[in-house]
């Protein structure tokens, strides 16, 4: 691995993960970028250059994939968990249990698997950091959102407990909770329906992936004694989940 400090970014093939990888590389990190769509992380690493990035395939729901990924990472000081997302907007009465399971696997157990694997290296670095992209959905539940709300509340608990359990060790844990960010998030949520995804951001200005990445880079560059536990950020047009100002 190169001489720059190493940052693992999961979900680096699009959206917040790709933008975070770019922001961290610009800030002097060597980013190990992981996602299932290998060609996209390879293109990102190609753009950033060999000093600043390495691309590796990663499916955070698959233990073998996580083990293979981690075997190729050494000396990690920062992990940014961006792999995640929502599936559907079904109400509880009609909820598809497999979709709930999938959201829990990605948003919660994926964070657990990768964090567990990296924890010894993060602590051994003397200044380790875990940054998790959570969501305002963790504490602002909404009709149709229960599966995603539960998953993001679950990962929020993981962040809190990790901070408690590692007190006294050189590790910081930050949960960044964005509101609406225009990425592939809604396209994935609505199973590739571009019209439904576009309607989410109609008449309002959402955050961009770069807006969130700037905060990731800011958190990652604080001095070792400064811990930002939780950062909540939203577009000005969104007061709460479901309370959005639209011009139309
Ligand atoms: P996105 O553009 O859809 O990015 C999601 C990323 O997660 C992709 O790179 C995807 O890559 C990766 N991913 C999904 N399943 C994975 C798996 N099993 N293993 C590895 N990587 C996986 O959406 P985004 O908005 O950037 O989402 C990033 C995070 O922000 C998510 O946790 C999301 O819940 C959270 N968030 C988003 C918003 C929003 O409004 N956009 C708001 C709050 C929080 P591959 O498909 O290539 O694997």
């Amino acid at each position: 691995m190169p001489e720059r400090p190493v940052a693992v970014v999961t979900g680096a093939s699009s959206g917040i993960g790709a933008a975070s990888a770019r922001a961290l590389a610009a800030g002097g990190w060597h980013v190990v970028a992981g996602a299932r769509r290998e060609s996209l992380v390879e293109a990102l690493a190609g753009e950033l250059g060999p000093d600043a990035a390495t691309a590796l395939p990663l499916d955070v729901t698959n233990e073998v994939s996580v083990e293979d990924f981690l075997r190729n990472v050494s000396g990690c000081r920062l992990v940014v968990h961006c792999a995640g997302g929502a599936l559907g907007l079904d109400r509880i009465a009609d909820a598809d249990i497999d979709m709930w399971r999938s959201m829990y696997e990605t948003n919660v157990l994926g964070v657990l698997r990768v964090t567990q694997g990296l924890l010894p290296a993060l602590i051994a670095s003397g200044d380790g950091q875990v940054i998790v992209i959570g969501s305002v959905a963790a504490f602002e539940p909404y009709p149709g959102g229960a599966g995603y709300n539960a998953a993001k509340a679950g990962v929020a608990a993981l962040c809190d407990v990790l901070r408690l359990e590692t007190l006294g060790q050189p590790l910081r844990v930050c949960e960044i909770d964005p509101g609406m960010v225009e990425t592939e998030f809604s396209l994935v949520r609505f199973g590739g329906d571009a019209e439904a995804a576009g309607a989410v951001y109609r008449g309002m200005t959402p955050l961009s992936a770069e807006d969130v990445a700037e905060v990731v880079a800011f958190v990652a560059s604080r001095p070792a004694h400064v811990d930002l536990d939780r950062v909540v950020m939203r577009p000005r047009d969104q007061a709460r989940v479901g309370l959005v100002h639209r011009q139309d």
Side-chain angles (χ1 to χ4, degrees), residues 204-229:
M204 58 87 64
T205 306
L207 297 175
S208 67
E210 289 71 26
D211 293 328
V212 182
E214 273 187 13
V215 176
V216 169
F218 176 80
V219 170
S221 58
R222 292 312 85 208
H225 67 289
V226 178
D227 177 52
L228 284 97
D229 279 5

Side-chain angles (χ1 to χ4, degrees), residues 19-54:
S20 297
R22 288 190 179 96
L24 292 170
W29 294 84
H30 181 89
V31 176
V32 183
R36 292 168 302 177
R37 288 171 294 175
E38 213 176 332
S39 61
L40 293 182
V41 279
E42 275 170 3
L44 176 74
E47 169 197 320
L48 298 176
D51 283 348
T54 304

Side-chain angles (χ1 to χ4, degrees), residues 165-229:
E165 290 178 350
T166 56
L167 179 65
Q169 300 185 64
L171 188 80
R172 289 176 279 166
V173 182
C174 177
E175 179 191 343
I176 298 177
D177 292 331
M180 296 164 81
V181 190
E182 191 165 13
T183 60
E184 292 180 9
F185 176 85
S186 293
L187 199 63
V188 172
R189 168 168 242 172
F190 296 117
D193 182 341
E195 205 175 315
V200 173
Y201 312 107
R202 177 184 46 79
M204 58 87 64
T205 306
L207 297 175
S208 67
E210 289 71 26
D211 293 328
V212 182
E214 273 187 13
V215 176
V216 169
F218 176 80
V219 170
S221 58
R222 292 312 85 208
H225 67 289
V226 178
D227 177 52
L228 284 97
D229 279 5

Side-chain angles (χ1 to χ4, degrees), residues 54-115:
T54 304
L56 292 171
L58 173 65
D59 180 347
V60 298
T61 69
N62 180 313
E63 274 164 37
V64 175
S65 170
V66 172
E67 280 167 16
D68 288 347
F69 177 87
L70 294 176
R71 206 170 295 124
N72 288 293
V73 179
S74 60
C76 181
R77 238 178 69 188
L78 167 68
V79 56
V80 185
H81 294 280
C82 301
L87 294 175
L89 254 184
D90 293 338
R91 288 175 175 253
I92 290 168
D94 310 310
D96 178 337
I97 289 183
D98 284 339
M99 280 193 177
W100 277 55
R101 195 173 282 125
S102 177
M103 286 188 275
Y104 196 79
E105 268 291 341
T106 312
N107 291 288
V108 186
L109 301 185
V111 172
L112 175 65
R113 283 189 192 97
V114 175
T115 302

